[in-house]
Amino acid sequence: MAQNSMERVRNIGIVAHIDAGKTTTSERFLFYAGKSHKIGEVHDGQAVMDYREDERSRGITISAAATTLEWNKHIINLIDTPGHVDFTAEVERSLRVLDGAVVVFDGVEGVEPQSETVWYQADSYEVPRIAFVNKMDRIGADFDASVESMKDRLAAEPIPIQFPDGSSAEFAGIVDLVHERYIVFDADTLGRDMTESDIPERLQEEAATRRAAMIEALAERHDPLMELFLAEEPIEQEHLLEAMRAITLARKATLVMCGSALKNIGIQPVLDMVCACLPSPLDVPPVEGTHPKTGEELTRAPKKGEPFSALMFKIQAKDAADMYYIRVYSGKLETGGRVINPRTGSKERLRRILRMHADRGEALKEIVAGDIVAVTGLHKTATGDTLCAENEPILLETIRFPDTVVSIAVEPRTAGDREKFSQVLERAQREDPTLQSTLSEETGQTLLSGMGELHLEVVLGRMQRDFGVEVNYGKPRVSYRETAAAAASGTGEYARQVAGENLFAKVGVSVEPLANQGAKAEVESKLRQGELPPQYLPGLMDSMANAADGGGLYGYPVTGIKVCLDSVKFDEVGQPEIALNTACSHAFREALQAAGTQVLEPYGRLELRVPEDFLGNVHKTLNQRRAIVEETGFSKNMAVVRGVVPIGEMFGYLTVLRSQTQGRGSFSLEPLDYRPIPDNLVALHHEKLYG
């Protein structure tokens, strides 16, 4: 791909809260770009991007789907992501490899809980974005309130470049403030035909006021435009577009548009703005990495002569051959070409390269910088791994996923399915990094852990439907943690004769609590130089970390502590590593017993929307579930309750809420942090889990 061609590439994602209309918007993108010959509707189970059976039956996106389309001589690589919090890892790995995003908001609800999550995920990856306020045809839709909610709840700086002509049933068209035009979309052609005209007289005063505010907001963030503004020079459309693009790329503000994807209103202007203002691969900084052996900092840019580098961000398990989705950052590679995985040191061959359209692929002869494609033939590559040229290795930053919070006990229903069950479980975990399985030493059961009840329900459904494995499973449970209640120290000693040699070691360890109780245990050494030969130190550090992960006084992983190696004495005969590591584990245990531990449980950020008439009963039920209500507001005859609650208390709550509100209540729950469980509940919870 030539430089001038790469300028016309856009790697973007569609992100939002569940039911804001992401997939519906994506389907219109495909239809108007000529990629699809008919519009696939989510509610009919016919959406192209929701191609999995469980997605179509549930009417939600579960797995991120990729496609490529053309618009205004631009190539748009598009990823449609899930909106449900249980599948937030799909958004995480997509944003890791994307250059820009379209954030969709519900015109009635404005910013919703998962809107905040995806917004901050995009912030963490420094992804430029534009906003689309959808569902302006719904009763109660309010464009200005949605924009204000972006300011209030996201601390964003939105700049509306359009405004709607009416809302709900009166939503008739869109006023474009940049080009000063009024746009109506033809319902008979499913919005394909647009009519542009002068702004109607009844809207001219409002348009003038809003356009002046838009120009002022843009000028405040773009010096060349500010110079024209202060000099009272004419400001042309090209000046505005230049400022809009610069501001978007620098993430100084977010351009806001509006429409109704379901009613086919306002989609083409969004595509225009994707091409005009979101970045190409040339507009983003070179990707950073390190040399896998020396640790030297390296960069790779999408320019001629750079060696090949790519990040594998998603695996899709297939019967014929697993599909590995990669983002190419530099260089080029032909089908059948060899690369190296610097994490494992293994050489891989890309047997097939496919440009994906949901579940269908188009074979390519080569890939170049800026491409997002699927490949086959990889064997020792996992999600987040780098693929690069053998003679120019680089290790790119991997993808970090949130910890699991919910677990269930699973087992195959028949003995004959046991081997197949293990294979399917391994395959599911390879595809989904947030799915974890462990074997309980106490019960012999397989514990399956995920991001929520729905996440685990979907996984179990796929086991049965797609792989033919019947399973029995217990009720969901949360993943508890422990942390030190105070600072303390301990000493461990190992003295034993092994293979005729007297092994001896004595290790001193101290623990102290950290402010973030849910953070992984930190380990450090306070030994003086020369006190321990350097070859033994990594083993001792690993022993301390493994001891914390292995469980505290109640058997839960220990988090939120710092573990320090204070002193070491040992005899350097035979294999002193055995004596040192064992003594270290004993010392950690003694220090933890001296400190005492607190059991921690995961909390989630809760938001409920219920009719005002039912608010009293809902508050009562929340109190019973140990929820902490932080805020209660009112919007359009609905009460909005926000707070935090132990995740374990919310299992089965949806059924209770629906019965209390005649089916009209809804809630969302996002993992937040870990907090101490009340002392009177520790023994009860431990008894439930371990008998």
Side-chain angles (χ1 to χ4, degrees):
M1 187 185 299
Q3 289 290 97
N4 60 347
S5 299
M6 206 177 300
E7 290 177 359
R8 295 181 175 273
V9 172
R10 300 290 182 270
N11 292 317
I12 70 163
I14 307 287
V15 297
H17 184 90
I18 189 171
D19 286 337
K22 297 176 307 305
T23 302
T24 304
T25 302
S26 297
E27 294 296 319
R28 270 62 183 178
F29 281 5
L30 298 178
F31 179 68
Y32 298 131
K35 191 75 176 183
S36 298
H37 299 297
K38 67 174 183 177
I39 295 177
E41 300 290 9
V42 174
H43 55 268
D44 291 334
Q46 298 298 318
V48 173
M49 302 300 279
D50 286 349
Y51 58 86
R52 285 173 38 168
E53 184 179 330
D54 48 2
E55 292 178 317
R56 293 187 170 185
S57 62
R58 294 174 184 274
I60 62 172
T61 301
I62 293 172
S63 176
T67 190
T68 301
L69 55 98
E70 293 187 30
W71 185 260
N72 285 352
K73 298 181 180 179
H74 286 70
I75 301 295
I76 300 175
N77 294 316
L78 172 69
I79 296 182
D80 177 34
T81 65
H84 196 284
V85 63
D86 280 17
F87 310 107
T88 188
E90 291 286 319
V91 184
E92 189 82 25
R93 60 177 161 196
S94 298
L95 288 173
R96 170 66 176 82
V97 299
L98 293 172
D99 300 328
V102 177
V103 186
V104 181
F105 297 96
D106 186 318
V108 178
E109 307 294 348
V111 174
E112 299 174 89
Q114 188 66 2
S115 308
E116 296 183 60
T117 300
V118 299
W119 189 270
Y120 296 132
Q121 284 175 310
D123 276 345
S124 67
Y125 290 113
E126 299 183 350
V127 175
R129 69 216 76 149
I130 58 178
F132 176 58
V133 179
N134 190 27
K135 301 191 177 184
M136 289 306 304
D137 59 306
R138 280 187 61 197
I139 296 175
D142 190 326
F143 178 71
D144 292 326
S146 296
V147 173
E148 285 301 312
S149 72
M150 292 176 64
K151 297 178 183 177
D152 296 340
R153 298 192 61 178
L154 302 177
E157 298 191 38
I159 301 179
I161 60 172
Q162 297 176 340
F163 72 93
D165 179 13
S167 63
S168 64
E170 305 300 319
F171 181 40
I174 292 170
V175 178
D176 181 340
L177 298 174
V178 178
H179 302 92
E180 296 183 278
R181 61 184 181 178
Y182 181 73
I183 313 172
V184 176
F185 299 81
D186 187 357
D188 292 335
T189 62
L190 301 177
R192 190 191 294 274
D193 294 336
M194 304 184 303
T195 302
E196 299 180 12
S197 60
D198 293 336
I199 299 173
E201 186 175 347
R202 59 186 173 82
L203 296 173
Q204 286 181 1
E205 183 177 348
E206 181 180 2
T209 301
R210 287 180 179 268
R211 190 171 194 270
M214 176 194 72
I215 292 174
E216 185 174 351
L218 292 171
E220 287 175 356
R221 297 164 176 85
H222 187 66
D223 291 343
L225 187 63
M226 176 60 81
E227 292 176 8
L228 293 175
F229 182 76
L230 294 177
E232 298 184 356
E233 296 284 338
I235 295 178
E236 307 295 340
Q237 293 175 8
E238 54 266 28
H239 298 139
L240 294 176
L241 289 169
E242 178 186 340
M244 288 158 55
R245 178 171 173 77
I247 288 167
T248 302
L249 295 184
R251 297 182 300 111
K252 293 180 179 179
T254 304
L255 308 179
V256 186
M257 309 177 75
C258 62
S260 167
L262 186 63
K263 298 295 184 181
N264 309 309
I265 299 175
I267 302 302
Q268 295 95 320
V270 177
L271 281 168
D272 290 340
M273 206 51 56
V274 166
C275 297
C277 292
L278 288 183
S280 75
L282 298 174
D283 294 316
V284 298
V287 66
E288 298 178 350
T290 58
H291 193 284
K293 292 183 179 179
T294 66
E296 176 191 358
E297 294 185 359
L298 303 171
T299 61
R300 293 286 186 267
K303 60 184 181 182
K304 189 175 181 180
E306 288 277 288
F308 180 82
S309 67
L311 186 77
M312 203 284 287
F313 67 95
K314 177 181 172 68
I315 301 175
Q316 185 177 349
K318 292 276 191 179
D319 289 331
D322 288 352
M323 309 283 288
Y324 297 81
Y325 286 77
I326 65 173
R327 160 68 193 266
V328 183
Y329 285 101
S330 63
K332 64 180 180 178
L333 194 71
E334 295 182 351
T335 298
R338 286 187 177 276
V339 293
I340 191 171
N341 181 336
R343 180 182 66 85
T344 63
S346 60
K347 295 180 181 179
E348 301 272 25
R349 182 190 293 274
L350 278 57
R351 298 193 180 280
R352 297 184 69 205
I353 301 173
L354 301 168
R355 190 177 302 285
M356 298 303 295
H357 177 49
D359 59 339
R360 302 192 304 274
E362 171 195 352
L364 300 177
K365 293 182 179 179
E366 69 172 11
I367 44 177
V368 297
D371 277 339
I372 294 179
V373 297
V375 302
T376 64
L378 307 182
H379 298 289
K380 297 181 180 179
T381 297
T383 301
D385 279 354
T386 303
L387 299 174
C388 59
E390 296 180 53
N391 57 344
E392 294 283 352
I394 184 173
L395 189 61
L396 303 179
E397 182 183 356
T398 189
I399 306 172
R400 313 214 175 271
F401 296 101
D403 292 334
T404 58
V405 295
V406 176
S407 301
I408 55 175
V410 296
E411 61 182 10
R413 193 164 294 176
T414 65
D417 274 345
R418 191 166 300 279
E419 183 177 348
K420 190 176 181 181
F421 169 75
S422 299
Q423 294 172 349
V424 168
L425 203 55
E426 181 183 349
R427 187 174 183 176
Q429 291 179 90
R430 190 169 71 250
E431 186 178 271
D432 184 352
T434 60
L435 188 67
Q436 298 177 8
S437 68
T438 56
L439 187 65
S440 171
E441 295 181 1
E442 297 186 17
T443 65
Q445 291 178 306
T446 297
L447 299 180
L448 189 63
S449 304
M451 300 305 299
E453 284 185 276
L454 180 60
H455 183 202
L456 295 178
E457 184 182 322
V458 166
V459 171
L460 294 173
R462 286 197 70 199
M463 283 186 177
Q464 179 176 331
R465 184 186 62 255
D466 296 346
F467 304 111
V469 177
E470 299 279 350
V471 295
N472 294 323
Y473 57 92
K475 291 183 179 179
R477 73 175 197 183
V478 297
S479 301
Y480 292 92
R481 301 283 188 266
E482 287 181 64
T483 194
S489 59
T491 302
E493 185 173 313
Y494 182 91
R496 189 171 299 177
Q497 191 175 65
V498 177
E501 295 178 318
N502 294 318
L503 300 185
F504 170 79
K506 189 174 183 179
V507 176
V509 165
S510 60
V511 298
E512 62 179 275
L514 298 174
N516 183 358
Q517 294 181 318
K520 195 171 181 65
E522 298 178 5
V523 295
E524 70 173 35
S525 171
K526 291 186 177 179
L527 299 180
R528 297 185 301 274
Q529 188 173 2
E531 192 172 350
L532 179 73
Q535 66 266 29
Y536 299 131
L537 183 59
L540 283 174
M541 303 298 280
D542 288 342
S543 290
M544 292 191 295
N546 292 337
D549 290 340
L553 305 185
Y554 287 93
Y556 308 126
V558 183
T559 60
I561 63 168
K562 178 186 285 187
V563 189
C564 297
L565 181 61
D566 297 327
S567 63
V568 169
K569 292 180 180 179
F570 74 105
D571 291 339
E572 196 165 357
V573 296
Q575 294 179 307
E577 298 94 336
I578 296 175
L580 285 167
N581 294 340
T582 306
C584 185
S585 297
H586 293 334
F588 172 79
R589 191 75 178 176
E590 185 177 297
L592 205 60
Q593 287 177 333
T597 64
Q598 289 180 312
V599 178
L600 308 174
E601 60 182 336
Y603 270 66
R605 186 165 297 284
L606 175 69
E607 179 168 313
L608 295 100
R609 292 175 183 266
V610 298
E612 294 181 30
D613 296 344
F614 304 106
L615 185 58
N617 286 337
V618 168
H619 269 301
K620 182 179 179 181
T621 306
L622 289 178
N623 289 334
Q624 293 170 347
R625 293 174 183 261
R626 298 192 287 124
I628 303 171
V629 176
E630 298 175 335
E631 176 187 358
T632 301
F634 299 91
S635 173
K636 304 177 180 68
N637 298 320
M638 296 289 282
V640 181
V641 181
R642 298 188 180 97
V644 295
V645 64
I647 290 175
E649 297 285 359
M650 298 302 286
F651 293 142
Y653 179 65
L654 183 59
T655 302
V656 174
L657 181 64
R658 285 173 175 168
S659 67
Q660 285 185 328
T661 61
Q662 298 177 1
R664 297 165 62 194
S666 64
F667 81 97
S668 63
L669 183 67
E670 297 182 43
L672 179 61
D673 55 22
Y674 276 84
R675 302 185 184 187
I677 191 171
D679 292 339
N680 63 315
L681 296 179
V682 173
L684 176 63
H685 278 262
H686 191 69
E687 183 179 347
K688 282 183 180 179
L689 292 174
Y690 295 104

